[in-house]
Amino acid sequence: MSENSEAPQPETQRPEPQILTEIQYKPGQENKATHLSLLDDLPIKHAISWGKDAGNMSVKYSKGQEPEEVVRERINKFLGDNGMEYYQVGEDGEKHPHVIHMIGAFEGTHLQTHEVLGDELEESKDETLIQANFVFTTNPDIVMVIRPGDCPVSIVHAKVKDKYGKDRDLLAFIHSSAQSANAGLPRHAIRYLIDVLHVDPKTIKIGIAPGVSMENYTITQDDIFVDNPKKPGEKIPVFRPTIMERNWKGHISRDQTGDPSEKRKVDIMGATIMQFTEEGIDPSNIQAIDVDSYAAAERKEAFSHSLSVSKGVPEGRYMIAAQLKKPTETSGRNDKSILPEDTELTRILEKEAKRAVPVENLELHFPQYETAMRIFEHYGIPTDIFVDPSLDIQQVVVRGKQLLDQLVQKIEFNTLSEDEIALFDSAYEYLSEED
């Protein structure tokens, strides 16, 4: 080598996803529940039922095998063992369901997305069904569950900005069936987070639950059928899919015949990870349990729809559950909310504006007045405005918005409940209209 030549620079090693090839059981839940260690230090709770003692987690697929109440009790215990609950006790002392059951049926190449707010919960049902391939929430009261047949499911955590520029935690499930992976839905889900919700991709962390391996799953270009909503039991074709090579790359076997009916083996998990990284997710922020659900079902450690179809094994389902941790679980806050729902300042202001009640009579007309004052005083906001008889109601409204602006600067929104966040949303909307 000449004196003028430069020494070759070592190539920068690219980060790789964390691939787990063995099940890591949760402590104290051996042969019952596994987890993704990448997610353990995040403000979410999660668990995957797995192992010889886990049992079937689907009431639908328990018929003729075991009583429904046995399965429900199993589900309830599984959630409880992992810090989640089937029911939530409300202020009325009654139990209310707060479980969203995601069903990842493929309905076409468009992104099937649903944001869970909480108002869609059906009181008459233990679980509210949501059919989509991408479901997300920022509501820590919601427990999300999914019962895959064989498809890898991604548990996603990210930071999303609210309207005040404050970070909030987001939890999502992305369901990767062969059809949805072929249509590029995993990549579209990430694009939705980045382009629509303005999530910084650096904050996105993904744990992928087990699914069927390439050795045991194939796709064709034959018609895709769905249930006919007008004729129960009848199937109708949705469309004839084209295998999208760009969404598989090295994760599909080569086309040998050109025949649309040729069965081509696919690595759904590998394709999902590839789509995530192509959309800008740091590979080191991805962890996957690369354990074949088909082979695990043969060992009676899990359930597999593919195994049931090919060998007549009774159907069953394992379950993935996740929930955002509440502020009291992450910050040590007292359980009692600082801003109880029945003391929303915006309600006081709105009702007063409509009735044109003199300001000095606020205390007489609204029993929440004292609590509202304590809220402001807690954050060191002057409250003289509300007892100044020289001001009319419009001046109170203007000053009210100024007080809210001060609160926004003082409050850490990650420590607030959904009801408390709703206070600021509704108050800003109302007071903005009054300006």
Side-chain angles (χ1 to χ4, degrees), residues 160-178:
V160 61
K161 298 285 187 185
D162 63 18
K163 65 192 296 182
Y164 310 107
K166 305 290 186 178
D167 282 338
R168 299 190 67 193
D169 293 302
L170 176 144
L171 170 68
F173 281 172
I174 300 174
H175 173 257
S176 294
S177 67

Side-chain angles (χ1 to χ4, degrees), residues 291 356 369 375 391:
V291 172
Y369 175 82
I375 292 168
L391 300 178

Side-chain angles (χ1 to χ4, degrees), residues 30 200 433:
E30 287 74 15
D200 181 349
E433 292 173 1

Side-chain angles (χ1 to χ4, degrees), residues 10 18 134 143 165 176 195 311 337 360 375:
Q18 304 172 43
F134 174 43
V143 174
S176 294
D195 296 341
K311 297 188 176 181
S337 171
E360 61 266 27
I375 292 168

Side-chain angles (χ1 to χ4, degrees), residues 124-413:
S124 61
K125 297 181 178 179
D126 293 329
E127 301 178 10
T128 299
L129 303 183
I130 298 294
Q131 186 160 309
N133 280 292
F134 174 43
V135 175
F136 66 94
T137 189
T138 57
N139 186 345
D141 288 330
I142 297 297
V143 174
M144 298 205 310
V145 304
I146 185 170
R147 299 171 172 91
D150 275 298
C151 305
V153 173
S154 300
I155 306 170
V156 182
H157 175 267
K159 293 288 187 181
V160 61
K161 298 285 187 185
D162 63 18
K163 65 192 296 182
Y164 310 107
K166 305 290 186 178
D167 282 338
R168 299 190 67 193
D169 293 302
L170 176 144
L171 170 68
F173 281 172
I174 300 174
H175 173 257
S176 294
S177 67
Q179 289 82 13
S180 63
N182 182 64
L185 297 193
R187 77 165 76 249
H188 296 325
I190 298 301
R191 292 289 1 138
Y192 187 96
L193 288 173
I194 296 172
D195 296 341
V196 179
L197 300 183
H198 307 296
V199 169
D200 181 349
K202 294 178 182 177
T203 73
I204 298 175
K205 292 193 176 182
I206 303 174
I208 308 178
V212 68
S213 73
M214 186 173 186
E215 187 62 31
N216 291 307
Y217 203 84
T218 61
I219 62 170
T220 73
Q221 295 190 91
D222 288 334
D223 289 342
I224 298 292
F225 288 85
V226 298
D227 293 326
N228 186 344
K230 297 181 180 179
K231 295 182 180 180
E234 180 179 290
K235 297 283 187 178
I236 55 175
V238 181
F239 65 95
R240 175 165 290 178
T242 299
I243 291 180
M244 304 296 293
E245 303 288 346
R246 70 177 293 267
N247 289 328
W248 294 106
K249 294 188 177 175
H251 303 286
I252 186 171
S253 63
R254 296 182 61 184
D255 182 356
Q256 301 289 336
T257 66
D259 184 343
S261 298
E262 179 185 344
K263 294 181 178 180
R264 299 178 64 183
K265 293 184 176 182
V266 288
D267 175 8
I268 304 172
M269 182 176 290
T272 297
I273 293 173
M274 178 266 294
Q275 291 184 31
F276 287 159
T277 57
E278 285 188 347
E279 295 307 319
I281 304 302
D282 184 343
S284 63
N285 284 339
I286 300 173
Q287 185 181 67
I289 303 176
D290 189 14
V291 172
D292 185 2
S293 56
Y294 186 103
E298 289 185 310
R299 299 190 299 268
K300 302 188 182 303
E301 296 172 358
F303 296 90
S304 166
H305 175 65
S306 299
L307 181 67
S308 298
V309 170
S310 65
K311 297 188 176 181
V313 175
E315 290 272 14
R317 292 291 185 270
Y318 53 96
M319 186 171 78
I320 302 163
Q323 180 182 16
L324 286 169
K325 290 181 179 178
K326 297 182 180 181
T328 53
E329 297 175 282
T330 57
S331 66
R333 260 182 70 210
N334 187 283
D335 284 337
K336 187 174 181 181
S337 171
I338 293 174
L339 307 176
E341 184 177 5
D342 65 348
T343 64
E344 290 184 358
L345 173 64
T346 184
R347 294 181 182 179
I348 299 174
L349 295 176
E350 184 173 0
K351 289 179 180 179
E352 282 304 303
K354 288 180 179 178
R355 297 184 187 185
V357 178
V359 175
E360 61 266 27
N361 292 335
L362 268 176
E363 188 169 2
L364 298 177
H365 285 266
F366 294 96
Q368 308 102 319
Y369 175 82
E370 283 190 18
T371 308
M373 294 304 99
R374 287 199 301 271
I375 292 168
F376 283 110
E377 290 168 3
H378 176 87
Y379 286 104
I381 305 296
T383 57
D384 296 347
I385 177 72
F386 294 101
V387 291
D388 186 344
S390 67
L391 300 178
D392 61 28
I393 192 64
Q394 291 304 318
Q395 290 172 304
V396 171
V397 167
V398 171
R399 181 57 179 146
K401 186 174 181 181
Q402 293 173 348
L403 293 177
L404 284 172
D405 284 333
Q406 292 182 45
L407 279 176
V408 167
Q409 300 304 314
K410 288 175 174 286
I411 293 175
E412 294 183 8
F413 277 72

